Coordinates of all heavy atoms in Angstrom, one line a residue:
A511 N -17.9 4.8 -10.3 CA -17.6 5.0 -8.9 C -17.0 3.7 -8.3 O -16.1 3.7 -7.5 CB -19.0 5.3 -8.2
L512 N -17.5 2.5 -8.7 CA -17.0 1.3 -8.2 C -15.6 1.1 -8.7 O -14.7 0.6 -7.9 CB -17.9 0.1 -8.7 CG -19.3 0.0 -8.0 CD1 -20.1 -1.1 -8.7 CD2 -19.1 -0.3 -6.6
K513 N -15.3 1.4 -9.9 CA -13.9 1.2 -10.5 C -12.9 2.2 -9.7 O -11.8 1.8 -9.4 CB -13.9 1.5 -12.0 CG -14.6 0.4 -12.8 CD -14.6 0.7 -14.3 CE -15.2 -0.4 -15.1 NZ -15.2 -0.1 -16.5
V514 N -13.4 3.4 -9.5 CA -12.5 4.4 -8.8 C -12.3 3.9 -7.4 O -11.2 4.0 -6.9 CB -13.2 5.8 -8.8 CG1 -12.4 6.7 -7.9 CG2 -13.2 6.4 -10.2
T515 N -13.3 3.4 -6.7 CA -13.2 2.9 -5.4 C -12.3 1.7 -5.3 O -11.4 1.6 -4.5 CB -14.6 2.5 -4.8 OG1 -15.5 3.6 -4.8 CG2 -14.5 1.9 -3.4
G516 N -12.4 0.8 -6.3 CA -11.5 -0.3 -6.4 C -10.1 0.1 -6.6 O -9.1 -0.5 -6.0
A517 N -9.9 1.0 -7.5 CA -8.5 1.5 -7.8 C -7.9 2.2 -6.6 O -6.7 1.9 -6.3 CB -8.6 2.5 -9.0
L518 N -8.7 3.0 -5.9 CA -8.1 3.6 -4.7 C -7.8 2.6 -3.6 O -6.8 2.7 -2.9 CB -9.1 4.6 -4.1 CG -9.2 6.0 -4.9 CD1 -10.3 6.8 -4.3 CD2 -7.9 6.7 -4.9
A519 N -8.7 1.6 -3.4 CA -8.4 0.5 -2.5 C -7.1 -0.2 -2.8 O -6.3 -0.5 -1.9 CB -9.6 -0.4 -2.4
M520 N -6.9 -0.5 -4.1 CA -5.7 -1.2 -4.5 C -4.5 -0.3 -4.3 O -3.4 -0.8 -3.9 CB -5.8 -1.6 -6.0 CG -4.6 -2.3 -6.5 SD -4.3 -3.9 -5.6 CE -5.8 -4.8 -6.1
L521 N -4.6 1.0 -4.6 CA -3.5 2.0 -4.4 C -3.1 2.0 -2.9 O -1.9 1.9 -2.6 CB -3.9 3.3 -4.8 CG -2.9 4.5 -4.5 CD1 -1.6 4.2 -5.3 CD2 -3.5 5.8 -4.9
F522 N -4.1 2.2 -2.0 CA -3.8 2.2 -0.6 C -3.2 0.9 -0.1 O -2.3 0.9 0.8 CB -5.0 2.6 0.2 CG -5.3 4.1 0.3 CD1 -6.2 4.7 -0.6 CD2 -4.6 4.9 1.1 CE1 -6.4 6.0 -0.5 CE2 -4.8 6.3 1.2 CZ -5.7 6.8 0.3
F523 N -3.7 -0.2 -0.6 CA -3.2 -1.5 -0.2 C -1.7 -1.6 -0.7 O -0.9 -2.1 0.1 CB -4.0 -2.6 -0.9 CG -3.5 -4.0 -0.5 CD1 -3.7 -4.6 0.7 CD2 -2.7 -4.7 -1.5 CE1 -3.2 -5.8 1.0 CE2 -2.3 -6.0 -1.2 CZ -2.5 -6.6 0.1
C524 N -1.4 -1.2 -1.9 CA 0.0 -1.2 -2.4 C 0.9 -0.3 -1.6 O 2.1 -0.7 -1.3 CB 0.0 -0.8 -3.9 SG -0.7 -2.1 -5.0
V525 N 0.4 0.9 -1.2 CA 1.2 1.8 -0.4 C 1.5 1.1 1.0 O 2.6 1.2 1.5 CB 0.5 3.1 -0.2 CG1 1.2 4.0 0.8 CG2 0.4 3.9 -1.5
Y526 N 0.5 0.5 1.6 CA 0.7 -0.1 2.8 C 1.7 -1.2 2.7 O 2.6 -1.4 3.6 CB -0.7 -0.7 3.3 CG -0.6 -2.0 4.1 CD1 -0.1 -2.0 5.4 CD2 -0.9 -3.2 3.5 CE1 0.0 -3.2 6.1 CE2 -0.7 -4.4 4.2 CZ -0.3 -4.4 5.5 OH -0.2 -5.6 6.2
W527 N 1.6 -2.0 1.6 CA 2.5 -3.2 1.4 C 4.0 -2.7 1.3 O 4.9 -3.2 1.9 CB 2.1 -3.9 0.2 CG 2.7 -5.3 0.1 CD1 3.9 -5.6 -0.4 CD2 2.1 -6.5 0.4 NE1 4.1 -7.0 -0.4 CE2 3.0 -7.6 0.1 CE3 0.9 -6.9 1.0 CZ2 2.7 -8.9 0.4 CZ3 0.6 -8.2 1.2 CH2 1.5 -9.2 0.9
V528 N 4.2 -1.6 0.5 CA 5.5 -1.1 0.3 C 6.0 -0.4 1.6 O 7.2 -0.5 1.9 CB 5.5 -0.1 -0.8 CG1 6.9 0.6 -1.0 CG2 5.2 -0.8 -2.2
L529 N 5.2 0.3 2.3 CA 5.6 0.9 3.6 C 6.1 -0.1 4.6 O 7.1 0.2 5.3 CB 4.4 1.7 4.2 CG 4.1 3.1 3.7 CD1 2.9 3.7 4.4 CD2 5.3 4.0 3.9
V530 N 5.5 -1.3 4.7 CA 6.0 -2.3 5.6 C 7.4 -2.8 5.2 O 8.3 -2.9 6.0 CB 5.0 -3.5 5.6 CG1 5.6 -4.7 6.3 CG2 3.7 -3.1 6.2
A531 N 7.6 -3.0 3.9 CA 8.9 -3.4 3.4 C 10.0 -2.3 3.6 O 11.1 -2.6 4.0 CB 8.8 -3.7 1.9
L532 N 9.6 -1.0 3.4 CA 10.6 0.0 3.6 C 10.9 0.2 5.1 O 12.1 0.5 5.4 CB 10.0 1.4 3.0 CG 9.9 1.5 1.5 CD1 9.2 2.8 1.1 CD2 11.3 1.3 0.9
W533 N 9.9 0.0 5.9 CA 10.2 0.1 7.4 C 11.1 -1.0 7.8 O 12.0 -0.8 8.6 CB 8.9 0.1 8.2 CG 9.1 0.3 9.7 CD1 9.2 1.4 10.4 CD2 9.4 -0.8 10.6 NE1 9.5 1.2 11.7 CE2 9.6 -0.2 11.9 CE3 9.4 -2.2 10.5 CZ2 9.9 -0.9 13.0 CZ3 9.7 -2.9 11.6 CH2 9.9 -2.3 12.9
L534 N 10.8 -2.2 7.3 CA 11.7 -3.3 7.7 C 13.1 -3.0 7.2 O 14.1 -3.3 7.9 CB 11.2 -4.6 7.0 CG 10.1 -5.4 7.8 CD1 9.6 -6.5 7.0 CD2 10.7 -5.9 9.1
Y535 N 13.3 -2.5 6.0 CA 14.6 -2.2 5.4 C 15.3 -1.2 6.3 O 16.5 -1.4 6.7 CB 14.4 -1.7 4.0 CG 15.8 -1.4 3.3 CD1 16.3 -2.3 2.5 CD2 16.4 -0.2 3.5 CE1 17.5 -2.1 1.8 CE2 17.7 0.1 2.9 CZ 18.2 -0.9 2.0 OH 19.4 -0.7 1.4
R536 N 14.6 -0.1 6.7 CA 15.2 0.9 7.5 C 15.6 0.4 8.9 O 16.7 0.7 9.4 CB 14.3 2.2 7.6 CG 15.0 3.4 8.2 CD 14.1 4.4 8.7 NE 13.4 4.0 9.9 CZ 12.7 4.9 10.7 NH1 12.7 6.2 10.4 NH2 12.1 4.5 11.7

C-alpha cells in the first residue's frame, strides 16, 4: 500500500510538472 501510494504520488507529481511545461509552451 505504501509503495502504491508513493508511486501514485510520484505519477501525479510528474503529470503536474509536465503540465506546467506544456502550458508554458502553448
Side-chain angles (χ1 to χ4, degrees):
L512 289 174
K513 289 178 180 179
V514 171
T515 300
L518 285 175
M520 183 60 66
L521 174 63
F522 277 100
F523 179 77
C524 290
V525 170
Y526 147 77
W527 196 277
V528 173
L529 278 177
V530 170
L532 290 177
W533 182 88
L534 274 174
Y535 184 96
R536 191 196 72 162

